[in-house]
Amino acid sequence: RFSQFSAELPSRATDPATMEAVCGTLELKGWSKSFESWNAGGSDYYVLNLDEGEHLSAASGLSSVILRPTEDLPLEGIDAFKADADHACVLGEYQHAKPYVPSSPFEQYPIGLNGDPVPRGSGLRVNAIAGSRDALVLVNARSM
């Protein structure tokens, strides 16, 4: 099931210097009224709980990172991988949160200490996923 999503990576132009590989445990989370869920976009999402010693250079200090599906690896691809394994190594590009602009004055959203809407959208844009760092290298090499 999963192999259909890992065969051709990546399709969009990505600067290899901004790509990072991290390993950890995949966790599917449902929507909740939390800052993490708000940041993820308000629906079900995946988090990678990083293995001890793993870190993202673009966002140091995180113990977990929201996985952002991409054209290269849509949510269905992560779902298919999770059905076979809980541990994963992910190759992707970290994206920082962006300011949120409400679409309606009646909309509900979290407010920061400065009174502005809390930014959202940070996470690791997933280009490839595999069961180990070695397998991740092989998956990524096939795409070049």
Side-chain angles (χ1 to χ4, degrees):
R1 291 179 300 183
F2 169 69
S3 60
Q4 67 181 342
F5 296 104
S6 61
E8 299 175 12
L9 301 168
S11 63
R12 71 178 183 92
T14 302
D15 180 2
T18 63
M19 300 290 280
E20 296 194 60
V22 289
C23 298
T25 305
L26 283 174
E27 182 179 357
L28 177 62
K29 292 191 170 186
W31 178 87
S32 67
K33 265 196 163 171
S34 69
F35 285 110
E36 183 184 73
S37 184
W38 165 257
N39 183 33
S43 62
D44 291 351
Y45 59 98
Y46 278 98
V47 168
L48 185 70
N49 296 308
L50 302 178
D51 288 344
E52 189 173 328
E54 293 282 334
H55 70 280
L56 290 163
S57 60
S60 61
L62 294 179
S63 60
S64 64
V65 64
I66 294 170
L67 298 182
R68 299 269 171 205
T70 61
E71 200 174 287
D72 297 325
L73 194 71
L75 186 61
E76 297 81 13
I78 300 172
D79 284 340
F81 185 86
K82 173 74 169 134
D84 295 332
D86 288 332
H87 190 268
C89 291
V90 177
L91 178 69
E93 182 177 14
Y94 188 80
Q95 115 186 344
H96 294 278
K98 294 175 179 60
Y100 180 72
V101 179
S103 58
S104 162
F106 304 106
E107 183 179 351
Q108 291 185 7
Y109 49 84
I111 302 286
L113 295 175
N114 61 0
D116 292 333
V118 173
R120 71 192 300 187
S122 70
L124 192 64
R125 293 180 43 81
V126 180
N127 288 87
I129 189 168
S132 70
R133 198 174 295 275
D134 291 340
L136 186 61
V137 170
L138 291 174
V139 167
N140 193 46
R142 282 198 320 248
S143 68
M144 297 182 174

